[in-house]
Amino acid sequence: MVGPFRIEGYAIVSADGMIADSAGVMPQTIRNDADQKFLQTELDNAAVLVHGRHSYEGGSRAPQRKRLILTREIAAIAPDPSQPHALLWNPAGATLEQAAARLGVDDGIAAIIGGTPVFALFLPLYDAFHLTQAAQASIPGGRPVFPQVSPGMTPADVLIRYGLRPGRQRALDPAAGVTLTTWQRIPDAAEATASAV
Ligand SMILES: NC(=O)c1ccc[n+]([C@@H]2O[C@H](COP(=O)([O-])OP(=O)(O)OC[C@H]3O[C@@H](n4cnc5c(N)ncnc54)[C@H](OP(=O)(O)O)[C@@H]3O)[C@@H](O)[C@H]2O)c1
């Protein structure tokens, strides 16, 4: 938790733990309708979405959602002239609670939807991380879900290191080899618990 906020992350990754290719583009091989349906339903229940300047969930309901868009181009909090329910946020200058309050949001789920640096910022803080894996896709040289992901360290290894533990794996799209595992924070299980936000 961050104050009154429950912190939940959402990502779909390739078998090698990537969320995008080396150019920062999310390839079709890790886009999946069942995962999109899950994500869009979950985001409808979030109080606020949090993401970097190059990430966006899309879909018809996206314009209605309240969101904080991370950028270092402002000092703390600023309006986003292109989106009425969005604010630009620099965590170095304002807390999540301060930024969300400016959107009229005081509690609930803060949905963290990437990309890599934003997933990393919240690693010590996730109450849950919903990790979808597209087992038939690989993106050599791509952008990892967490910066620590490497041939010797999977996204699961990173989540364990930060004190989360896996729930039951769910088949979202068996034909495509797409599975969903929700990881939950287990108190006192973290090897690293320093607060970043
Ligand atoms: N597969 C998935 O689940 C998934 C999820 C998310 C994204 N993606 C894909 O990943 C790609 C983009 O990801 P990305 O990692 O390149 O970009 P990103 O995190 O969306 O955006 C990076 C930008 O966000 C800002 N930012 C990040 N961390 C910050 C911090 N701590 N403080 C202040 N500002 C911060 C910076 O903006 P400024 O430059 O303005 O300072 C930075 O340049 C896209 O292709 C996207 O579709 C995939």
Side-chain angles (χ1 to χ4, degrees), residues 10-13 18-20 24-26 30-31 51-55 70-73 89-91 113-119 121 143:
Y10 295 86
I12 182 166
V13 302
M18 304 297 154
I19 60 166
V25 176
M26 187 172 157
I30 58 166
R31 292 184 190 271
H51 58 82
R53 205 164 50 77
H54 304 145
S55 297
L70 275 75
T71 177
R72 294 185 179 87
E73 290 182 353
W89 174 42
N90 186 342
I113 61 167
T116 306
V118 182
F119 284 136
L121 182 68
R143 301 210 181 167

PDB file of all heavy atoms in Angstrom, residues 10-13 18-20 24-26 30-31 51-55 70-73 89-91 113-119 121 143, ligand 1:
ATOM      1  N   TYR A  10       0.311  -4.399 -13.963  1.00  0.00           N
ATOM      2  CA  TYR A  10      -0.238  -5.203 -15.070  1.00  0.00           C
ATOM      3  C   TYR A  10       0.751  -5.206 -16.220  1.00  0.00           C
ATOM      4  O   TYR A  10       1.135  -4.135 -16.708  1.00  0.00           O
ATOM      5  CB  TYR A  10      -1.559  -4.597 -15.581  1.00  0.00           C
ATOM      6  CG  TYR A  10      -2.658  -4.624 -14.557  1.00  0.00           C
ATOM      7  CD1 TYR A  10      -2.786  -3.599 -13.613  1.00  0.00           C
ATOM      8  CD2 TYR A  10      -3.559  -5.682 -14.498  1.00  0.00           C
ATOM      9  CE1 TYR A  10      -3.780  -3.635 -12.656  1.00  0.00           C
ATOM     10  CE2 TYR A  10      -4.562  -5.724 -13.540  1.00  0.00           C
ATOM     11  CZ  TYR A  10      -4.662  -4.697 -12.622  1.00  0.00           C
ATOM     12  OH  TYR A  10      -5.649  -4.739 -11.668  1.00  0.00           O
ATOM     13  N   ALA A  11       1.146  -6.410 -16.677  1.00  0.00           N
ATOM     14  CA  ALA A  11       2.028  -6.481 -17.843  1.00  0.00           C
ATOM     15  C   ALA A  11       1.780  -7.782 -18.591  1.00  0.00           C
ATOM     16  O   ALA A  11       1.438  -8.803 -17.981  1.00  0.00           O
ATOM     17  CB  ALA A  11       3.492  -6.413 -17.410  1.00  0.00           C
ATOM     18  N   ILE A  12       1.968  -7.720 -19.911  1.00  0.00           N
ATOM     19  CA  ILE A  12       2.057  -8.953 -20.701  1.00  0.00           C
ATOM     20  C   ILE A  12       3.477  -9.033 -21.235  1.00  0.00           C
ATOM     21  O   ILE A  12       4.001  -8.039 -21.760  1.00  0.00           O
ATOM     22  CB  ILE A  12       1.003  -9.040 -21.832  1.00  0.00           C
ATOM     23  CG1 ILE A  12       1.132 -10.379 -22.578  1.00  0.00           C
ATOM     24  CG2 ILE A  12       1.081  -7.849 -22.791  1.00  0.00           C
ATOM     25  CD1 ILE A  12      -0.068 -10.704 -23.474  1.00  0.00           C
ATOM     26  N   VAL A  13       4.104 -10.194 -21.019  1.00  0.00           N
ATOM     27  CA  VAL A  13       5.514 -10.356 -21.391  1.00  0.00           C
ATOM     28  C   VAL A  13       5.685 -11.555 -22.310  1.00  0.00           C
ATOM     29  O   VAL A  13       4.883 -12.492 -22.307  1.00  0.00           O
ATOM     30  CB  VAL A  13       6.426 -10.530 -20.150  1.00  0.00           C
ATOM     31  CG1 VAL A  13       6.297  -9.352 -19.203  1.00  0.00           C
ATOM     32  CG2 VAL A  13       6.141 -11.838 -19.423  1.00  0.00           C
ATOM     33  N   MET A  18      10.016  -9.866 -21.984  1.00  0.00           N
ATOM     34  CA  MET A  18      10.054  -8.540 -22.631  1.00  0.00           C
ATOM     35  C   MET A  18       8.652  -7.973 -22.824  1.00  0.00           C
ATOM     36  O   MET A  18       7.701  -8.709 -23.099  1.00  0.00           O
ATOM     37  CB  MET A  18      10.752  -8.629 -23.997  1.00  0.00           C
ATOM     38  CG  MET A  18      12.151  -9.204 -23.934  1.00  0.00           C
ATOM     39  SD  MET A  18      13.250  -8.163 -22.948  1.00  0.00           S
ATOM     40  CE  MET A  18      14.454  -9.354 -22.389  1.00  0.00           C
ATOM     41  N   ILE A  19       8.555  -6.636 -22.726  1.00  0.00           N
ATOM     42  CA  ILE A  19       7.258  -5.970 -22.956  1.00  0.00           C
ATOM     43  C   ILE A  19       7.217  -5.233 -24.290  1.00  0.00           C
ATOM     44  O   ILE A  19       6.154  -4.778 -24.717  1.00  0.00           O
ATOM     45  CB  ILE A  19       6.917  -4.968 -21.835  1.00  0.00           C
ATOM     46  CG1 ILE A  19       7.974  -3.855 -21.724  1.00  0.00           C
ATOM     47  CG2 ILE A  19       6.711  -5.686 -20.513  1.00  0.00           C
ATOM     48  CD1 ILE A  19       7.528  -2.666 -20.869  1.00  0.00           C
ATOM     49  N   ALA A  20       8.358  -5.074 -24.931  1.00  0.00           N
ATOM     50  CA  ALA A  20       8.430  -4.333 -26.195  1.00  0.00           C
ATOM     51  C   ALA A  20       9.724  -4.708 -26.893  1.00  0.00           C
ATOM     52  O   ALA A  20      10.626  -5.319 -26.282  1.00  0.00           O
ATOM     53  CB  ALA A  20       8.382  -2.822 -25.936  1.00  0.00           C
ATOM     54  N   GLY A  24      11.220   0.013 -28.678  1.00  0.00           N
ATOM     55  CA  GLY A  24      10.172   0.497 -27.780  1.00  0.00           C
ATOM     56  C   GLY A  24       8.778   0.302 -28.338  1.00  0.00           C
ATOM     57  O   GLY A  24       7.827   0.958 -27.912  1.00  0.00           O
ATOM     58  N   VAL A  25       8.636  -0.630 -29.286  1.00  0.00           N
ATOM     59  CA  VAL A  25       7.327  -0.923 -29.883  1.00  0.00           C
ATOM     60  C   VAL A  25       6.859  -2.274 -29.358  1.00  0.00           C
ATOM     61  O   VAL A  25       7.626  -3.242 -29.320  1.00  0.00           O
ATOM     62  CB  VAL A  25       7.421  -0.954 -31.424  1.00  0.00           C
ATOM     63  CG1 VAL A  25       6.085  -1.362 -32.035  1.00  0.00           C
ATOM     64  CG2 VAL A  25       7.868   0.410 -31.946  1.00  0.00           C
ATOM     65  N   MET A  26       5.583  -2.335 -28.950  1.00  0.00           N
ATOM     66  CA  MET A  26       5.025  -3.599 -28.456  1.00  0.00           C
ATOM     67  C   MET A  26       4.561  -4.426 -29.656  1.00  0.00           C
ATOM     68  O   MET A  26       3.633  -4.027 -30.354  1.00  0.00           O
ATOM     69  CB  MET A  26       3.851  -3.281 -27.524  1.00  0.00           C
ATOM     70  CG  MET A  26       3.282  -4.475 -26.823  1.00  0.00           C
ATOM     71  SD  MET A  26       2.084  -3.933 -25.590  1.00  0.00           S
ATOM     72  CE  MET A  26       1.106  -5.398 -25.442  1.00  0.00           C
ATOM     73  N   ILE A  30       2.912 -10.303 -28.731  1.00  0.00           N
ATOM     74  CA  ILE A  30       2.502 -10.298 -27.318  1.00  0.00           C
ATOM     75  C   ILE A  30       1.196  -9.519 -27.116  1.00  0.00           C
ATOM     76  O   ILE A  30       0.871  -9.131 -25.990  1.00  0.00           O
ATOM     77  CB  ILE A  30       3.603  -9.794 -26.355  1.00  0.00           C
ATOM     78  CG1 ILE A  30       4.069  -8.379 -26.710  1.00  0.00           C
ATOM     79  CG2 ILE A  30       4.761 -10.773 -26.311  1.00  0.00           C
ATOM     80  CD1 ILE A  30       4.902  -7.731 -25.598  1.00  0.00           C
ATOM     81  N   ARG A  31       0.478  -9.289 -28.182  1.00  0.00           N
ATOM     82  CA  ARG A  31      -0.874  -8.728 -28.039  1.00  0.00           C
ATOM     83  C   ARG A  31      -1.854  -9.895 -28.079  1.00  0.00           C
ATOM     84  O   ARG A  31      -1.739 -10.775 -28.929  1.00  0.00           O
ATOM     85  CB  ARG A  31      -1.182  -7.732 -29.157  1.00  0.00           C
ATOM     86  CG  ARG A  31      -0.345  -6.471 -29.043  1.00  0.00           C
ATOM     87  CD  ARG A  31      -0.744  -5.457 -30.096  1.00  0.00           C
ATOM     88  NE  ARG A  31       0.193  -4.356 -30.134  1.00  0.00           N
ATOM     89  CZ  ARG A  31       0.083  -3.255 -29.384  1.00  0.00           C
ATOM     90  NH1 ARG A  31      -0.934  -3.122 -28.562  1.00  0.00           N
ATOM     91  NH2 ARG A  31       0.991  -2.299 -29.463  1.00  0.00           N
ATOM     92  N   HIS A  51       1.291   5.612 -15.526  1.00  0.00           N
ATOM     93  CA  HIS A  51       2.154   5.078 -16.588  1.00  0.00           C
ATOM     94  C   HIS A  51       3.124   6.133 -17.101  1.00  0.00           C
ATOM     95  O   HIS A  51       2.951   7.334 -16.871  1.00  0.00           O
ATOM     96  CB  HIS A  51       1.325   4.490 -17.733  1.00  0.00           C
ATOM     97  CG  HIS A  51       0.367   5.439 -18.402  1.00  0.00           C
ATOM     98  ND1 HIS A  51       0.757   6.319 -19.385  1.00  0.00           N
ATOM     99  CD2 HIS A  51      -0.957   5.630 -18.223  1.00  0.00           C
ATOM    100  CE1 HIS A  51      -0.296   6.996 -19.801  1.00  0.00           C
ATOM    101  NE2 HIS A  51      -1.352   6.620 -19.104  1.00  0.00           N
ATOM    102  N   GLY A  52       4.130   5.643 -17.817  1.00  0.00           N
ATOM    103  CA  GLY A  52       5.123   6.525 -18.409  1.00  0.00           C
ATOM    104  C   GLY A  52       4.595   7.208 -19.656  1.00  0.00           C
ATOM    105  O   GLY A  52       3.531   6.851 -20.178  1.00  0.00           O
ATOM    106  N   ARG A  53       5.366   8.123 -20.127  1.00  0.00           N
ATOM    107  CA  ARG A  53       4.920   8.962 -21.245  1.00  0.00           C
ATOM    108  C   ARG A  53       4.795   8.179 -22.547  1.00  0.00           C
ATOM    109  O   ARG A  53       4.123   8.634 -23.474  1.00  0.00           O
ATOM    110  CB  ARG A  53       5.895  10.127 -21.419  1.00  0.00           C
ATOM    111  CG  ARG A  53       5.305  11.331 -22.073  1.00  0.00           C
ATOM    112  CD  ARG A  53       6.172  12.539 -21.860  1.00  0.00           C
ATOM    113  NE  ARG A  53       7.568  12.320 -22.185  1.00  0.00           N
ATOM    114  CZ  ARG A  53       8.062  12.291 -23.416  1.00  0.00           C
ATOM    115  NH1 ARG A  53       7.271  12.464 -24.439  1.00  0.00           N
ATOM    116  NH2 ARG A  53       9.346  12.096 -23.619  1.00  0.00           N
ATOM    117  N   HIS A  54       5.393   6.982 -22.635  1.00  0.00           N
ATOM    118  CA  HIS A  54       5.314   6.212 -23.875  1.00  0.00           C
ATOM    119  C   HIS A  54       4.354   5.031 -23.775  1.00  0.00           C
ATOM    120  O   HIS A  54       4.338   4.177 -24.665  1.00  0.00           O
ATOM    121  CB  HIS A  54       6.704   5.707 -24.278  1.00  0.00           C
ATOM    122  CG  HIS A  54       7.709   6.805 -24.413  1.00  0.00           C
ATOM    123  ND1 HIS A  54       9.033   6.661 -24.089  1.00  0.00           N
ATOM    124  CD2 HIS A  54       7.565   8.094 -24.815  1.00  0.00           C
ATOM    125  CE1 HIS A  54       9.664   7.799 -24.290  1.00  0.00           C
ATOM    126  NE2 HIS A  54       8.798   8.690 -24.717  1.00  0.00           N
ATOM    127  N   SER A  55       3.579   4.947 -22.730  1.00  0.00           N
ATOM    128  CA  SER A  55       2.671   3.815 -22.539  1.00  0.00           C
ATOM    129  C   SER A  55       1.229   4.314 -22.469  1.00  0.00           C
ATOM    130  O   SER A  55       0.970   5.446 -22.028  1.00  0.00           O
ATOM    131  CB  SER A  55       3.012   3.055 -21.253  1.00  0.00           C
ATOM    132  OG  SER A  55       4.308   2.501 -21.353  1.00  0.00           O
ATOM    133  N   LEU A  70       3.848   9.821 -16.010  1.00  0.00           N
ATOM    134  CA  LEU A  70       5.163  10.216 -15.486  1.00  0.00           C
ATOM    135  C   LEU A  70       6.003  10.918 -16.543  1.00  0.00           C
ATOM    136  O   LEU A  70       6.078  10.474 -17.690  1.00  0.00           O
ATOM    137  CB  LEU A  70       5.929   8.996 -14.972  1.00  0.00           C
ATOM    138  CG  LEU A  70       5.605   8.589 -13.526  1.00  0.00           C
ATOM    139  CD1 LEU A  70       4.252   7.905 -13.452  1.00  0.00           C
ATOM    140  CD2 LEU A  70       6.686   7.701 -12.956  1.00  0.00           C
ATOM    141  N   THR A  71       6.626  12.003 -16.136  1.00  0.00           N
ATOM    142  CA  THR A  71       7.580  12.707 -16.985  1.00  0.00           C
ATOM    143  C   THR A  71       8.498  13.549 -16.110  1.00  0.00           C
ATOM    144  O   THR A  71       8.091  14.020 -15.045  1.00  0.00           O
ATOM    145  CB  THR A  71       6.866  13.611 -18.017  1.00  0.00           C
ATOM    146  OG1 THR A  71       7.848  14.332 -18.766  1.00  0.00           O
ATOM    147  CG2 THR A  71       5.926  14.610 -17.344  1.00  0.00           C
ATOM    148  N   ARG A  72       9.726  13.729 -16.586  1.00  0.00           N
ATOM    149  CA  ARG A  72      10.669  14.611 -15.887  1.00  0.00           C
ATOM    150  C   ARG A  72      10.643  16.002 -16.497  1.00  0.00           C
ATOM    151  O   ARG A  72      11.441  16.852 -16.119  1.00  0.00           O
ATOM    152  CB  ARG A  72      12.083  14.014 -15.932  1.00  0.00           C
ATOM    153  CG  ARG A  72      12.201  12.714 -15.150  1.00  0.00           C
ATOM    154  CD  ARG A  72      13.627  12.190 -15.081  1.00  0.00           C
ATOM    155  NE  ARG A  72      13.687  10.963 -14.294  1.00  0.00           N
ATOM    156  CZ  ARG A  72      13.494   9.739 -14.771  1.00  0.00           C
ATOM    157  NH1 ARG A  72      13.254   9.577 -16.061  1.00  0.00           N
ATOM    158  NH2 ARG A  72      13.541   8.681 -13.975  1.00  0.00           N
ATOM    159  N   GLU A  73       9.737  16.230 -17.425  1.00  0.00           N
ATOM    160  CA  GLU A  73       9.686  17.539 -18.095  1.00  0.00           C
ATOM    161  C   GLU A  73       9.005  18.607 -17.241  1.00  0.00           C
ATOM    162  O   GLU A  73       9.022  19.779 -17.591  1.00  0.00           O
ATOM    163  CB  GLU A  73       8.989  17.406 -19.448  1.00  0.00           C
ATOM    164  CG  GLU A  73       9.842  16.625 -20.443  1.00  0.00           C
ATOM    165  CD  GLU A  73       9.222  16.508 -21.815  1.00  0.00           C
ATOM    166  OE1 GLU A  73       8.054  16.923 -21.983  1.00  0.00           O
ATOM    167  OE2 GLU A  73       9.912  15.997 -22.715  1.00  0.00           O
ATOM    168  N   TRP A  89       2.955  13.933 -14.044  1.00  0.00           N
ATOM    169  CA  TRP A  89       3.458  13.776 -12.662  1.00  0.00           C
ATOM    170  C   TRP A  89       4.935  13.417 -12.686  1.00  0.00           C
ATOM    171  O   TRP A  89       5.330  12.488 -13.389  1.00  0.00           O
ATOM    172  CB  TRP A  89       2.665  12.662 -11.954  1.00  0.00           C
ATOM    173  CG  TRP A  89       3.167  12.289 -10.590  1.00  0.00           C
ATOM    174  CD1 TRP A  89       3.590  13.137  -9.607  1.00  0.00           C
ATOM    175  CD2 TRP A  89       3.287  10.960 -10.047  1.00  0.00           C
ATOM    176  NE1 TRP A  89       3.958  12.419  -8.485  1.00  0.00           N
ATOM    177  CE2 TRP A  89       3.787  11.091  -8.728  1.00  0.00           C
ATOM    178  CE3 TRP A  89       3.019   9.679 -10.543  1.00  0.00           C
ATOM    179  CZ2 TRP A  89       4.030   9.993  -7.905  1.00  0.00           C
ATOM    180  CZ3 TRP A  89       3.261   8.577  -9.729  1.00  0.00           C
ATOM    181  CH2 TRP A  89       3.751   8.738  -8.421  1.00  0.00           C
ATOM    182  N   ASN A  90       5.715  14.148 -11.893  1.00  0.00           N
ATOM    183  CA  ASN A  90       7.117  13.793 -11.652  1.00  0.00           C
ATOM    184  C   ASN A  90       7.239  13.351 -10.195  1.00  0.00           C
ATOM    185  O   ASN A  90       7.128  14.184  -9.276  1.00  0.00           O
ATOM    186  CB  ASN A  90       8.030  14.988 -11.925  1.00  0.00           C
ATOM    187  CG  ASN A  90       9.496  14.605 -11.817  1.00  0.00           C
ATOM    188  OD1 ASN A  90       9.835  13.579 -11.235  1.00  0.00           O
ATOM    189  ND2 ASN A  90      10.352  15.422 -12.396  1.00  0.00           N
ATOM    190  N   PRO A  91       7.451  12.046  -9.946  1.00  0.00           N
ATOM    191  CA  PRO A  91       7.512  11.561  -8.558  1.00  0.00           C
ATOM    192  C   PRO A  91       8.622  12.203  -7.733  1.00  0.00           C
ATOM    193  O   PRO A  91       8.586  12.154  -6.509  1.00  0.00           O
ATOM    194  CB  PRO A  91       7.746  10.054  -8.713  1.00  0.00           C
ATOM    195  CG  PRO A  91       7.331   9.720 -10.091  1.00  0.00           C
ATOM    196  CD  PRO A  91       7.590  10.944 -10.920  1.00  0.00           C
ATOM    197  N   ILE A 113       0.811   0.528 -15.174  1.00  0.00           N
ATOM    198  CA  ILE A 113       0.745  -0.190 -16.458  1.00  0.00           C
ATOM    199  C   ILE A 113       1.997   0.024 -17.327  1.00  0.00           C
ATOM    200  O   ILE A 113       1.954  -0.224 -18.527  1.00  0.00           O
ATOM    201  CB  ILE A 113      -0.554   0.153 -17.221  1.00  0.00           C
ATOM    202  CG1 ILE A 113      -0.657   1.648 -17.561  1.00  0.00           C
ATOM    203  CG2 ILE A 113      -1.780  -0.298 -16.426  1.00  0.00           C
ATOM    204  CD1 ILE A 113      -1.756   1.954 -18.584  1.00  0.00           C
ATOM    205  N   GLY A 114       3.106   0.445 -16.710  1.00  0.00           N
ATOM    206  CA  GLY A 114       4.372   0.465 -17.440  1.00  0.00           C
ATOM    207  C   GLY A 114       4.759   1.839 -17.935  1.00  0.00           C
ATOM    208  O   GLY A 114       4.114   2.819 -17.588  1.00  0.00           O
ATOM    209  N   GLY A 115       5.851   1.895 -18.733  1.00  0.00           N
ATOM    210  CA  GLY A 115       6.721   0.792 -19.167  1.00  0.00           C
ATOM    211  C   GLY A 115       7.781   0.444 -18.131  1.00  0.00           C
ATOM    212  O   GLY A 115       7.561   0.604 -16.916  1.00  0.00           O
ATOM    213  N   THR A 116       8.935  -0.003 -18.631  1.00  0.00           N
ATOM    214  CA  THR A 116       9.971  -0.563 -17.777  1.00  0.00           C
ATOM    215  C   THR A 116      10.344   0.322 -16.569  1.00  0.00           C
ATOM    216  O   THR A 116      10.348  -0.168 -15.435  1.00  0.00           O
ATOM    217  CB  THR A 116      11.239  -0.856 -18.612  1.00  0.00           C
ATOM    218  OG1 THR A 116      10.876  -1.679 -19.722  1.00  0.00           O
ATOM    219  CG2 THR A 116      12.302  -1.537 -17.775  1.00  0.00           C
ATOM    220  N   PRO A 117      10.645   1.610 -16.762  1.00  0.00           N
ATOM    221  CA  PRO A 117      11.076   2.395 -15.594  1.00  0.00           C
ATOM    222  C   PRO A 117       9.962   2.591 -14.577  1.00  0.00           C
ATOM    223  O   PRO A 117      10.238   2.726 -13.379  1.00  0.00           O
ATOM    224  CB  PRO A 117      11.526   3.734 -16.191  1.00  0.00           C
ATOM    225  CG  PRO A 117      10.915   3.803 -17.548  1.00  0.00           C
ATOM    226  CD  PRO A 117      10.743   2.392 -18.018  1.00  0.00           C
ATOM    227  N   VAL A 118       8.738   2.594 -15.034  1.00  0.00           N
ATOM    228  CA  VAL A 118       7.605   2.799 -14.115  1.00  0.00           C
ATOM    229  C   VAL A 118       7.312   1.498 -13.366  1.00  0.00           C
ATOM    230  O   VAL A 118       7.087   1.505 -12.146  1.00  0.00           O
ATOM    231  CB  VAL A 118       6.379   3.332 -14.880  1.00  0.00           C
ATOM    232  CG1 VAL A 118       5.224   3.592 -13.916  1.00  0.00           C
ATOM    233  CG2 VAL A 118       6.753   4.611 -15.638  1.00  0.00           C
ATOM    234  N   PHE A 119       7.364   0.366 -14.057  1.00  0.00           N
ATOM    235  CA  PHE A 119       7.235  -0.913 -13.350  1.00  0.00           C
ATOM    236  C   PHE A 119       8.331  -1.022 -12.280  1.00  0.00           C
ATOM    237  O   PHE A 119       8.095  -1.521 -11.181  1.00  0.00           O
ATOM    238  CB  PHE A 119       7.361  -2.092 -14.325  1.00  0.00           C
ATOM    239  CG  PHE A 119       6.134  -2.347 -15.172  1.00  0.00           C
ATOM    240  CD1 PHE A 119       6.250  -2.618 -16.531  1.00  0.00           C
ATOM    241  CD2 PHE A 119       4.860  -2.349 -14.626  1.00  0.00           C
ATOM    242  CE1 PHE A 119       5.139  -2.875 -17.317  1.00  0.00           C
ATOM    243  CE2 PHE A 119       3.730  -2.604 -15.403  1.00  0.00           C
ATOM    244  CZ  PHE A 119       3.875  -2.862 -16.759  1.00  0.00           C
ATOM    245  N   LEU A 121       9.954   1.441 -10.665  1.00  0.00           N
ATOM    246  CA  LEU A 121       9.774   2.399  -9.574  1.00  0.00           C
ATOM    247  C   LEU A 121       8.877   1.838  -8.465  1.00  0.00           C
ATOM    248  O   LEU A 121       9.101   2.087  -7.286  1.00  0.00           O
ATOM    249  CB  LEU A 121       9.156   3.683 -10.152  1.00  0.00           C
ATOM    250  CG  LEU A 121       8.926   4.847  -9.195  1.00  0.00           C
ATOM    251  CD1 LEU A 121      10.250   5.436  -8.733  1.00  0.00           C
ATOM    252  CD2 LEU A 121       8.075   5.922  -9.872  1.00  0.00           C
ATOM    253  N   ARG A 143      12.802  -4.844 -24.644  1.00  0.00           N
ATOM    254  CA  ARG A 143      12.773  -4.105 -23.370  1.00  0.00           C
ATOM    255  C   ARG A 143      12.104  -4.971 -22.312  1.00  0.00           C
ATOM    256  O   ARG A 143      10.960  -5.398 -22.481  1.00  0.00           O
ATOM    257  CB  ARG A 143      11.979  -2.813 -23.538  1.00  0.00           C
ATOM    258  CG  ARG A 143      12.575  -1.938 -24.596  1.00  0.00           C
ATOM    259  CD  ARG A 143      12.329  -0.501 -24.294  1.00  0.00           C
ATOM    260  NE  ARG A 143      12.903   0.290 -25.371  1.00  0.00           N
ATOM    261  CZ  ARG A 143      12.670   1.559 -25.550  1.00  0.00           C
ATOM    262  NH1 ARG A 143      11.873   2.201 -24.729  1.00  0.00           N
ATOM    263  NH2 ARG A 143      13.236   2.214 -26.546  1.00  0.00           N
TER     264      ARG A 143
HETATM  265  N1  LIG B   1       3.704  -5.448 -22.683  1.00  0.00           N
HETATM  266  C1  LIG B   1       3.244  -4.622 -21.756  1.00  0.00           C
HETATM  267  O1  LIG B   1       2.530  -5.011 -20.825  1.00  0.00           O
HETATM  268  C2  LIG B   1       3.612  -3.164 -21.842  1.00  0.00           C
HETATM  269  C3  LIG B   1       3.298  -2.318 -20.778  1.00  0.00           C
HETATM  270  C4  LIG B   1       3.680  -0.982 -20.882  1.00  0.00           C
HETATM  271  C5  LIG B   1       4.339  -0.508 -22.008  1.00  0.00           C
HETATM  272  N2  LIG B   1       4.602  -1.368 -23.003  1.00  0.00           N
HETATM  273  C6  LIG B   1       5.325  -0.923 -24.197  1.00  0.00           C
HETATM  274  O2  LIG B   1       6.619  -0.460 -23.788  1.00  0.00           O
HETATM  275  C7  LIG B   1       6.981   0.629 -24.631  1.00  0.00           C
HETATM  276  C8  LIG B   1       7.224   1.933 -23.811  1.00  0.00           C
HETATM  277  O3  LIG B   1       7.832   1.672 -22.661  1.00  0.00           O
HETATM  278  P1  LIG B   1       9.044   2.569 -22.152  1.00  0.00           P
HETATM  279  O4  LIG B   1       9.600   1.793 -21.017  1.00  0.00           O
HETATM  280  O5  LIG B   1       9.891   2.945 -23.268  1.00  0.00           O
HETATM  281  O6  LIG B   1       8.332   3.917 -21.770  1.00  0.00           O
HETATM  282  P2  LIG B   1       7.404   4.497 -20.578  1.00  0.00           P
HETATM  283  O7  LIG B   1       7.778   4.024 -19.228  1.00  0.00           O
HETATM  284  O8  LIG B   1       5.987   4.427 -20.971  1.00  0.00           O
HETATM  285  O9  LIG B   1       7.833   6.002 -20.719  1.00  0.00           O
HETATM  286  C9  LIG B   1       9.145   6.410 -20.378  1.00  0.00           C
HETATM  287  C10 LIG B   1       9.058   7.855 -20.053  1.00  0.00           C
HETATM  288  O10 LIG B   1       8.258   8.038 -18.882  1.00  0.00           O
HETATM  289  C11 LIG B   1       8.851   9.014 -18.058  1.00  0.00           C
HETATM  290  N3  LIG B   1       9.327   8.386 -16.815  1.00  0.00           N
HETATM  291  C12 LIG B   1       9.635   7.081 -16.602  1.00  0.00           C
HETATM  292  N4  LIG B   1      10.043   6.901 -15.339  1.00  0.00           N
HETATM  293  C13 LIG B   1      10.001   8.112 -14.744  1.00  0.00           C
HETATM  294  C14 LIG B   1      10.308   8.574 -13.440  1.00  0.00           C
HETATM  295  N5  LIG B   1      10.765   7.741 -12.468  1.00  0.00           N
HETATM  296  N6  LIG B   1      10.137   9.869 -13.173  1.00  0.00           N
HETATM  297  C15 LIG B   1       9.675  10.724 -14.117  1.00  0.00           C
HETATM  298  N7  LIG B   1       9.365  10.349 -15.366  1.00  0.00           N
HETATM  299  C16 LIG B   1       9.535   9.060 -15.683  1.00  0.00           C
HETATM  300  C17 LIG B   1       9.975   9.630 -18.846  1.00  0.00           C
HETATM  301  O11 LIG B   1       9.362  10.645 -19.623  1.00  0.00           O
HETATM  302  P3  LIG B   1      10.118  11.998 -20.069  1.00  0.00           P
HETATM  303  O12 LIG B   1      11.037  11.566 -21.168  1.00  0.00           O
HETATM  304  O13 LIG B   1       9.008  12.885 -20.528  1.00  0.00           O
HETATM  305  O14 LIG B   1      10.847  12.541 -18.868  1.00  0.00           O
HETATM  306  C18 LIG B   1      10.400   8.485 -19.736  1.00  0.00           C
HETATM  307  O15 LIG B   1      11.057   8.914 -20.905  1.00  0.00           O
HETATM  308  C19 LIG B   1       5.834   0.859 -25.573  1.00  0.00           C
HETATM  309  O16 LIG B   1       6.031   0.097 -26.731  1.00  0.00           O
HETATM  310  C20 LIG B   1       4.673   0.278 -24.838  1.00  0.00           C
HETATM  311  O17 LIG B   1       3.625  -0.115 -25.683  1.00  0.00           O
HETATM  312  C21 LIG B   1       4.262  -2.689 -22.964  1.00  0.00           C
END
